[in-house]
């Protein structure tokens, strides 16, 4: 008989998969000129950031659900601002890609996330250049190139936006690990939104004012309060669900869930958006890239577990239930390091989907 803790774990995983897929499809529907026709990705991202920041402020300052961390001007200037800048950039570029390429092809391009993060980690000195990992990165890259070659509606602009967003997100993840851990900060989902969302909103204001504000005509904009409210609410719920899943399971489980979510999303997008045609070459290329990602994830989890082994004796680890081992594995490092691990498969697990 399946125990209650295991059922809760499956429930959290299901919620994460549903919300993650739903937010991406919802964003595509809102932004696409063929559907809701709101082709302003920066504006949509600012709505997400503004809503998340307000909710986080209410939870921290009014209801006092959590206490704010000790934030000095130095920490804010050297940690929060650069992380927020790359966070805003990744959301901006990622959402803009929806205007030019299909959801299915975007998910295939996201297989490049381990490559981008590994390269950024090597450049920043948080990871070493290893032959086995490098060969996996080559395999992933070859798979993505094959998948791109098989894309019927290939668009250079959309692909460039998505790839740029992936590298911005990768740099954000590495900076998060380096800067926040160096300062000894651990942010939960509420406090992270409390500090990062308003700062990201301000960074997005500049490109919005220069690029979108001049071409926005109020008379031609379809502004439906309930559409944007529900969209922002789903994005906020996704952000919280990711941390629930991380705390409930572990890096391996959420990586598997991320792979499952990507395949479900690719299949769903072709049904919901008929223009999203998938070719045989798309599937072959994505399968090749996915093989490289799976091997890479195995190597990373193996390294992390090996580094954790001396902390606790083997008999003690064996005597624990599997769910507790996963939870201990996740909580043994800072929350952001767990996020860094899990987001190799599910990049942009944030308010943009």
């Amino acid at each position: 008989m399946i125990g209650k803790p295991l059922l809760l774990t499956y429930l959290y995983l299901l919620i994460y998969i549903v919300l993650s897929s739903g937010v991406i499809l919802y964003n595509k529907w809102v932004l696409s000129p063929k559907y809701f026709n709101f082709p302003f990705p920066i504006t949509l991202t600012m709505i997400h950031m503004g809503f998340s920041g307000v909710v986080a402020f209410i939870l921290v300052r009014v209801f006092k659900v959590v206490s704010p961390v000790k934030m000095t001007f130095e920490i804010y200037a050297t940690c929060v601002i650069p992380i927020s800048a790359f966070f805003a950039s990744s959301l901006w570029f990622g959402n803009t890609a929806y205007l030019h390429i299909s959801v299915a092809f975007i998910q295939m391009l996201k297989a490049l996330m381990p490559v981008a993060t590994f390269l950024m980690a090597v450049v920043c000195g948080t990871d070493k250049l290893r032959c086995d990992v490098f060969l996996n990165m080559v395999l992933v890259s070859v798979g993505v190139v094959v998948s791109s070659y098989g894309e019927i509606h290939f668009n250079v602009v959309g692909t460039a936006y998505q790839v740029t967003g992936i590298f911005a997100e990768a740099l954000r993840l590495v900076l998060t690990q380096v800067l926040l851990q160096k300062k000894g900060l651990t942010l939960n989902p509420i406090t992270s939104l409390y500090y990062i969302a308003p700062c990201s909103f301000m960074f997005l204001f500049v490109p919005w004012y220069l690029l979108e504000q001049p071409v926005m005509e109020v008379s031609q904009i379809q502004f439906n309060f309930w559409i944007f409210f529900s969209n922002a609410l789903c994005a906020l719920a996704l952000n919280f669900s990711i941390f629930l899943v991380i705390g409930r399971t572990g890096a391996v489980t959420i990586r598997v869930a991320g792979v499952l979510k990507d395949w479900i999303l690719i299949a769903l997008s072709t049904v919901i958006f008929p223009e999203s045609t998938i070719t045989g070459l798309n599937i072959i290329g994505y399968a090749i890239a996915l093989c490289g990602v799976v091997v890479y994830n195995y190597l990373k989890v193996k390294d992390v577990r090996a580094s954790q082994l001396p902390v606790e004796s083997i008999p003690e680890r064996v005597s624990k239930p599997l769910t507790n081992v996963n939870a201990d594995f996740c909580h043994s490092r800072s929350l952001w390091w767990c996020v860094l691990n899990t987001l190799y498969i599910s990049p942009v697990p944030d308010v943009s989907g």
Side-chain angles (χ1 to χ4, degrees):
M1 185 176 179
I2 300 178
K4 186 178 179 181
L6 192 57
L7 282 175
L8 278 175
T9 300
Y10 287 140
L11 178 61
Y12 288 155
L13 285 171
L14 179 62
I15 291 173
Y16 159 71
I17 291 173
V18 170
L19 284 173
S20 183
S21 303
V23 167
I24 291 173
L25 294 172
Y26 203 169
N27 284 352
K28 173 67 175 180
W29 182 81
V30 170
L31 293 169
S32 177
K34 295 182 179 180
Y35 299 96
F36 187 71
N37 192 24
F38 187 80
F40 303 107
I42 304 176
T43 306
L44 183 65
T45 309
M46 289 178 70
I47 292 173
H48 289 172
M49 289 292 95
F51 181 79
S52 299
V54 169
V55 171
F57 180 84
I58 293 173
L59 291 176
V60 172
R61 293 299 182 182
V62 179
F63 294 106
K64 301 186 185 300
V65 175
V66 294
S67 300
V69 300
K70 294 181 179 179
M71 183 66 65
T72 64
F73 177 78
E74 179 192 359
I75 294 176
Y76 193 87
T78 58
C79 295
V80 175
I81 289 179
I83 289 171
S84 299
F86 286 105
F87 184 47
S89 299
S90 67
L91 296 179
W92 166 21
F93 294 130
N95 279 337
T96 303
Y98 289 127
L99 296 176
H100 306 280
I101 54 181
S102 68
V103 172
F105 186 48
I106 286 175
Q107 294 308 118
M108 294 176 189
L109 287 175
K110 284 180 179 180
L112 282 173
M113 189 62 187
V115 179
T117 310
F118 176 68
L119 291 176
M120 292 299 102
V122 171
V123 170
C124 295
T126 62
D127 208 342
K128 295 181 180 179
L129 188 61
R130 292 165 40 186
C131 182
D132 53 353
V133 176
F134 178 76
L135 289 176
N136 277 309
M137 297 302 96
V138 173
L139 183 63
V140 172
S141 301
V142 169
V144 172
V145 170
V146 171
S147 180
S148 301
Y149 184 77
E151 176 65 17
I152 294 177
H153 305 294
F154 183 81
N155 183 286
V156 176
V157 175
T159 303
Y161 269 118
Q162 183 59 44
V163 173
T164 305
I166 287 171
F167 274 88
E169 176 68 4
L171 190 52
R172 178 187 76 89
L173 292 175
V174 174
L175 282 177
T176 298
Q177 181 199 356
V178 172
L179 298 178
L180 289 185
Q181 286 195 350
K182 186 179 291 185
K183 301 294 183 179
L185 291 179
T186 300
L187 301 177
N188 60 48
I190 299 176
T191 52
S192 64
L193 288 176
Y194 176 75
Y195 291 110
I196 293 175
C199 191
S200 297
F201 181 92
M202 296 308 299
F203 273 109
L204 288 167
F205 180 82
V206 177
W208 173 81
Y209 185 79
L210 296 174
L211 300 176
E212 291 190 358
Q213 189 272 337
V215 298
M216 293 179 73
E217 296 182 16
V218 178
S219 59
Q220 297 179 359
I221 294 177
Q222 295 187 62
F223 189 88
N224 186 310
F225 171 80
W226 294 110
I227 291 291
F228 290 103
F229 175 75
S230 60
N231 183 260
L233 188 62
C234 288
L236 181 66
L238 169 62
N239 206 33
F240 290 151
S241 73
I242 292 171
F243 287 89
L244 280 176
V245 172
I246 291 172
R248 193 76 195 179
T249 59
V252 178
T253 306
I254 198 170
R255 287 176 183 203
V256 173
V259 173
L260 179 62
K261 183 265 296 182
D262 288 342
W263 281 108
I264 291 173
L265 191 53
I266 289 172
L268 274 177
S269 66
T270 59
V271 175
I272 298 174
F273 306 110
E275 67 274 12
S276 301
T277 306
I278 297 179
T279 65
L281 208 53
N282 281 146
I283 298 298
I284 292 172
Y286 186 60
I288 293 172
L290 199 59
C291 288
V293 172
V294 170
V295 174
Y296 175 73
N297 286 334
Y298 169 76
L299 292 173
K300 295 300 290 185
V301 172
K302 186 179 177 181
D303 290 344
V304 173
R305 283 182 170 172
S307 67
Q308 292 295 312
L309 204 56
V311 178
E312 193 175 37
S313 67
I314 294 177
E316 288 177 333
R317 292 176 67 87
V318 172
S319 64
K320 288 187 176 184
L322 182 60
T323 53
N324 287 341
V325 172
N326 280 335
D328 288 346
F329 166 70
C330 196
H331 288 295
S332 60
R333 292 180 173 233
S334 73
L335 179 61
W336 283 113
W337 175 234
C338 288
V339 173
L340 178 64
N341 276 327
T342 57
L343 295 188
Y344 283 117
I345 279 274
S346 299
V348 198
D350 40 49
V351 291
S352 72

